PDB file of all heavy atoms in Angstrom:
ATOM      1  N   ARG A 395      89.409 145.026  52.682  1.00  0.00           N
ATOM      2  CA  ARG A 395      89.135 145.372  51.289  1.00  0.00           C
ATOM      3  C   ARG A 395      90.100 146.412  50.719  1.00  0.00           C
ATOM      4  O   ARG A 395      89.789 147.160  49.803  1.00  0.00           O
ATOM      5  CB  ARG A 395      87.677 145.826  51.098  1.00  0.00           C
ATOM      6  CG  ARG A 395      86.593 145.015  51.745  1.00  0.00           C
ATOM      7  CD  ARG A 395      86.671 143.571  51.250  1.00  0.00           C
ATOM      8  NE  ARG A 395      86.515 143.461  49.816  1.00  0.00           N
ATOM      9  CZ  ARG A 395      86.914 142.391  49.084  1.00  0.00           C
ATOM     10  NH1 ARG A 395      87.507 141.401  49.625  1.00  0.00           N
ATOM     11  NH2 ARG A 395      86.697 142.400  47.800  1.00  0.00           N
ATOM     12  N   SER A 396      91.340 146.442  51.296  1.00  0.00           N
ATOM     13  CA  SER A 396      92.327 147.384  50.846  1.00  0.00           C
ATOM     14  C   SER A 396      93.280 146.767  49.817  1.00  0.00           C
ATOM     15  O   SER A 396      94.192 147.441  49.312  1.00  0.00           O
ATOM     16  CB  SER A 396      93.126 147.928  52.008  1.00  0.00           C
ATOM     17  OG  SER A 396      93.814 146.849  52.658  1.00  0.00           O
ATOM     18  N   GLY A 397      93.116 145.490  49.501  1.00  0.00           N
ATOM     19  CA  GLY A 397      94.035 144.778  48.622  1.00  0.00           C
ATOM     20  C   GLY A 397      94.984 143.922  49.402  1.00  0.00           C
ATOM     21  O   GLY A 397      95.947 143.392  48.851  1.00  0.00           O
ATOM     22  N   SER A 398      94.720 143.730  50.695  1.00  0.00           N
ATOM     23  CA  SER A 398      95.620 142.961  51.564  1.00  0.00           C
ATOM     24  C   SER A 398      95.783 141.526  51.116  1.00  0.00           C
ATOM     25  O   SER A 398      96.875 140.939  51.246  1.00  0.00           O
ATOM     26  CB  SER A 398      95.206 143.055  53.013  1.00  0.00           C
ATOM     27  OG  SER A 398      93.942 142.482  53.178  1.00  0.00           O
ATOM     28  N   THR A 399      94.683 140.885  50.680  1.00  0.00           N
ATOM     29  CA  THR A 399      94.743 139.477  50.269  1.00  0.00           C
ATOM     30  C   THR A 399      95.600 139.297  49.061  1.00  0.00           C
ATOM     31  O   THR A 399      96.401 138.370  48.977  1.00  0.00           O
ATOM     32  CB  THR A 399      93.343 138.912  50.056  1.00  0.00           C
ATOM     33  OG1 THR A 399      92.571 138.992  51.256  1.00  0.00           O
ATOM     34  CG2 THR A 399      93.416 137.463  49.601  1.00  0.00           C
ATOM     35  N   LEU A 400      95.466 140.182  48.079  1.00  0.00           N
ATOM     36  CA  LEU A 400      96.294 140.109  46.851  1.00  0.00           C
ATOM     37  C   LEU A 400      97.738 140.284  47.184  1.00  0.00           C
ATOM     38  O   LEU A 400      98.618 139.544  46.729  1.00  0.00           O
ATOM     39  CB  LEU A 400      95.835 141.199  45.883  1.00  0.00           C
ATOM     40  CG  LEU A 400      96.593 141.219  44.502  1.00  0.00           C
ATOM     41  CD1 LEU A 400      96.348 139.915  43.747  1.00  0.00           C
ATOM     42  CD2 LEU A 400      96.093 142.423  43.707  1.00  0.00           C
ATOM     43  N   LEU A 401      98.046 141.230  48.052  1.00  0.00           N
ATOM     44  CA  LEU A 401      99.425 141.477  48.507  1.00  0.00           C
ATOM     45  C   LEU A 401      99.971 140.230  49.226  1.00  0.00           C
ATOM     46  O   LEU A 401     101.091 139.813  49.013  1.00  0.00           O
ATOM     47  CB  LEU A 401      99.505 142.679  49.423  1.00  0.00           C
ATOM     48  CG  LEU A 401     100.863 143.112  49.945  1.00  0.00           C
ATOM     49  CD1 LEU A 401     100.894 144.614  50.150  1.00  0.00           C
ATOM     50  CD2 LEU A 401     101.173 142.467  51.255  1.00  0.00           C
ATOM     51  N   TYR A 402      99.151 139.642  50.114  1.00  0.00           N
ATOM     52  CA  TYR A 402      99.504 138.457  50.859  1.00  0.00           C
ATOM     53  C   TYR A 402      99.795 137.311  49.933  1.00  0.00           C
ATOM     54  O   TYR A 402     100.822 136.616  50.087  1.00  0.00           O
ATOM     55  CB  TYR A 402      98.334 138.117  51.788  1.00  0.00           C
ATOM     56  CG  TYR A 402      98.492 137.052  52.789  1.00  0.00           C
ATOM     57  CD1 TYR A 402      99.722 136.650  53.302  1.00  0.00           C
ATOM     58  CD2 TYR A 402      97.401 136.354  53.275  1.00  0.00           C
ATOM     59  CE1 TYR A 402      99.883 135.660  54.234  1.00  0.00           C
ATOM     60  CE2 TYR A 402      97.478 135.325  54.196  1.00  0.00           C
ATOM     61  CZ  TYR A 402      98.769 135.011  54.694  1.00  0.00           C
ATOM     62  OH  TYR A 402      98.867 133.991  55.634  1.00  0.00           O
ATOM     63  N   GLN A 403      98.938 137.061  48.957  1.00  0.00           N
ATOM     64  CA  GLN A 403      99.136 135.962  47.982  1.00  0.00           C
ATOM     65  C   GLN A 403     100.389 136.193  47.185  1.00  0.00           C
ATOM     66  O   GLN A 403     101.122 135.256  46.903  1.00  0.00           O
ATOM     67  CB  GLN A 403      97.925 135.869  47.065  1.00  0.00           C
ATOM     68  CG  GLN A 403      96.637 135.444  47.712  1.00  0.00           C
ATOM     69  CD  GLN A 403      95.427 135.565  46.796  1.00  0.00           C
ATOM     70  OE1 GLN A 403      95.200 136.588  46.231  1.00  0.00           O
ATOM     71  NE2 GLN A 403      94.700 134.424  46.639  1.00  0.00           N
ATOM     72  N   TYR A 404     100.625 137.435  46.811  1.00  0.00           N
ATOM     73  CA  TYR A 404     101.829 137.754  45.983  1.00  0.00           C
ATOM     74  C   TYR A 404     103.120 137.422  46.783  1.00  0.00           C
ATOM     75  O   TYR A 404     103.999 136.762  46.254  1.00  0.00           O
ATOM     76  CB  TYR A 404     101.761 139.207  45.598  1.00  0.00           C
ATOM     77  CG  TYR A 404     102.968 139.656  44.806  1.00  0.00           C
ATOM     78  CD1 TYR A 404     103.034 139.382  43.441  1.00  0.00           C
ATOM     79  CD2 TYR A 404     104.010 140.388  45.365  1.00  0.00           C
ATOM     80  CE1 TYR A 404     104.176 139.741  42.661  1.00  0.00           C
ATOM     81  CE2 TYR A 404     105.098 140.798  44.600  1.00  0.00           C
ATOM     82  CZ  TYR A 404     105.154 140.467  43.256  1.00  0.00           C
ATOM     83  OH  TYR A 404     106.251 140.871  42.509  1.00  0.00           O
ATOM     84  N   LEU A 405     103.147 137.884  47.997  1.00  0.00           N
ATOM     85  CA  LEU A 405     104.371 137.614  48.828  1.00  0.00           C
ATOM     86  C   LEU A 405     104.510 136.131  49.136  1.00  0.00           C
ATOM     87  O   LEU A 405     105.596 135.577  49.157  1.00  0.00           O
ATOM     88  CB  LEU A 405     104.324 138.476  50.133  1.00  0.00           C
ATOM     89  CG  LEU A 405     104.513 139.917  49.891  1.00  0.00           C
ATOM     90  CD1 LEU A 405     104.405 140.702  51.260  1.00  0.00           C
ATOM     91  CD2 LEU A 405     105.803 140.287  49.261  1.00  0.00           C
ATOM     92  N   ALA A 406     103.369 135.459  49.388  1.00  0.00           N
ATOM     93  CA  ALA A 406     103.434 134.041  49.675  1.00  0.00           C
ATOM     94  C   ALA A 406     103.954 133.288  48.424  1.00  0.00           C
ATOM     95  O   ALA A 406     104.716 132.319  48.595  1.00  0.00           O
ATOM     96  CB  ALA A 406     102.057 133.508  50.016  1.00  0.00           C
ATOM     97  N   LYS A 407     103.621 133.720  47.293  1.00  0.00           N
ATOM     98  CA  LYS A 407     104.032 133.109  46.011  1.00  0.00           C
ATOM     99  C   LYS A 407     105.539 133.189  45.779  1.00  0.00           C
ATOM    100  O   LYS A 407     106.149 132.400  45.074  1.00  0.00           O
ATOM    101  CB  LYS A 407     103.292 133.692  44.879  1.00  0.00           C
ATOM    102  CG  LYS A 407     103.515 133.056  43.510  1.00  0.00           C
ATOM    103  CD  LYS A 407     102.863 131.685  43.434  1.00  0.00           C
ATOM    104  CE  LYS A 407     102.909 131.144  42.058  1.00  0.00           C
ATOM    105  NZ  LYS A 407     102.443 129.727  41.951  1.00  0.00           N
ATOM    106  N   SER A 408     106.178 134.151  46.461  1.00  0.00           N
ATOM    107  CA  SER A 408     107.591 134.379  46.266  1.00  0.00           C
ATOM    108  C   SER A 408     108.470 133.220  46.821  1.00  0.00           C
ATOM    109  O   SER A 408     109.642 133.070  46.489  1.00  0.00           O
ATOM    110  CB  SER A 408     108.066 135.659  47.000  1.00  0.00           C
ATOM    111  OG  SER A 408     108.074 135.465  48.426  1.00  0.00           O
ATOM    112  N   ASP A 409     107.870 132.404  47.705  1.00  0.00           N
ATOM    113  CA  ASP A 409     108.539 131.252  48.342  1.00  0.00           C
ATOM    114  C   ASP A 409     109.652 131.671  49.311  1.00  0.00           C
ATOM    115  O   ASP A 409     110.453 130.920  49.784  1.00  0.00           O
ATOM    116  CB  ASP A 409     109.159 130.340  47.296  1.00  0.00           C
ATOM    117  CG  ASP A 409     109.421 128.919  47.836  1.00  0.00           C
ATOM    118  OD1 ASP A 409     108.610 128.469  48.617  1.00  0.00           O
ATOM    119  OD2 ASP A 409     110.456 128.324  47.480  1.00  0.00           O
ATOM    120  N   TYR A 410     109.628 132.938  49.675  1.00  0.00           N
ATOM    121  CA  TYR A 410     110.635 133.499  50.604  1.00  0.00           C
ATOM    122  C   TYR A 410     110.127 133.319  52.094  1.00  0.00           C
ATOM    123  O   TYR A 410     110.928 133.154  52.965  1.00  0.00           O
ATOM    124  CB  TYR A 410     110.833 134.954  50.367  1.00  0.00           C
ATOM    125  CG  TYR A 410     111.845 135.645  51.256  1.00  0.00           C
ATOM    126  CD1 TYR A 410     113.183 135.516  51.101  1.00  0.00           C
ATOM    127  CD2 TYR A 410     111.376 136.387  52.416  1.00  0.00           C
ATOM    128  CE1 TYR A 410     114.152 136.115  51.957  1.00  0.00           C
ATOM    129  CE2 TYR A 410     112.309 136.989  53.262  1.00  0.00           C
ATOM    130  CZ  TYR A 410     113.669 136.842  53.004  1.00  0.00           C
ATOM    131  OH  TYR A 410     114.548 137.455  53.915  1.00  0.00           O
TER     132      TYR A 410
END
Side-chain angles (χ1 to χ4, degrees):
R395 311 305 299 159
S396 62
S398 61
T399 298
L400 183 62
L401 182 149
Y402 186 26
Q403 291 171 309
Y404 179 77
L405 291 178
K407 186 69 171 174
S408 73
D409 200 38
Y410 179 82

